[in-house]
Amino acid sequence: MELKLTREEAVSELEKYGISGKDFYLVDILPLIEMIWADGKAQEGELKILVEFLKHHVKKVNENAGFDFLTNEDAKNFALKFLKKRPEKELMESLRKLSSVIIKSSGNFEQIKESMLNACFDIASSSVVKYPYGLTERFELSEKKCFFTILSNLES
């Protein structure tokens, strides 16, 4: 049985991983990055989807703030911390769980959840590791497991 963390506890834990300040407005992309790496490769199509998600996300954060709080460069730099080299699976699992607490405590949780899950689908279906792929292999098993784990964390 897993203990439920408060938002403040999750923030404190994320800070131990070097995620602080403006980065808290970017934790929504951590599950997407985990999805990108689920099949072991960060592929060009997946990265393009992440870039588009980031642009939209930065725009939304700035609209909600009423001023230019985040830049696309901020978002890019945050994402690159996790894209230059495949992060350890345990790190991504911890970050997903902590980011889920932050995401679930946001005022527009359902909208964020839907947007994230749509992006996860797009990422998983954008690129496959090997061609040709079978009828049920467009999403690799590792991507399917990752998706359902992300979904579970957002719904628990």
Side-chain angles (χ1 to χ4, degrees), residues 91-156:
L91 171 65
M92 291 311 296
E93 287 174 359
S94 295
L95 292 177
R96 175 189 3 94
K97 290 173 185 175
L98 293 169
S99 66
S100 293
V101 173
I102 304 296
I103 294 163
K104 288 189 286 191
S105 67
S106 68
N108 54 348
F109 166 65
E110 287 299 327
Q111 182 181 14
I112 292 169
K113 176 181 156 187
E114 181 178 329
S115 177
M116 283 177 50
L117 295 176
N118 285 334
C120 284
F121 270 130
D122 292 341
I123 287 167
S125 65
S126 70
S127 306
V128 293
V129 176
K130 66 178 176 92
Y131 289 95
Y133 55 86
L135 186 60
T136 62
E137 295 172 342
R138 179 72 182 166
F139 283 54
E140 295 221 343
L141 182 58
S142 59
E143 292 173 325
K144 291 175 185 178
K145 287 179 179 178
C146 183
F147 177 83
F148 285 112
T149 302
I150 290 167
L151 179 62
S152 176
N153 280 160
L154 291 171
E155 292 188 340
S156 63

Side-chain angles (χ1 to χ4, degrees), residues 23-103:
D23 291 347
F24 288 117
Y25 293 89
L26 296 166
V27 298
D28 300 15
I29 71 164
L30 291 170
L32 277 59
I33 291 171
E34 185 177 17
M35 192 73 193
I36 286 171
W37 286 112
D39 62 5
K41 297 179 181 178
Q43 298 170 40
E44 186 179 341
E46 296 169 332
L47 297 174
K48 285 180 180 179
I49 292 166
L50 179 65
V51 167
E52 287 305 308
F53 183 91
L54 283 172
K55 288 178 188 174
H56 176 74
H57 184 72
V58 166
K59 182 180 177 194
K60 201 73 162 157
V61 167
N62 289 338
E63 284 174 1
N64 290 340
F67 66 99
D68 288 343
F69 175 71
L70 277 178
T71 65
N72 288 325
E73 193 68 20
D74 293 331
K76 176 184 161 190
N77 290 336
F78 180 77
L80 283 175
K81 292 178 191 177
F82 304 98
L83 292 171
K84 287 181 180 177
K85 173 182 142 196
R86 185 178 186 185
E88 294 293 324
K89 183 179 178 185
E90 295 78 19
L91 171 65
M92 291 311 296
E93 287 174 359
S94 295
L95 292 177
R96 175 189 3 94
K97 290 173 185 175
L98 293 169
S99 66
S100 293
V101 173
I102 304 296
I103 294 163

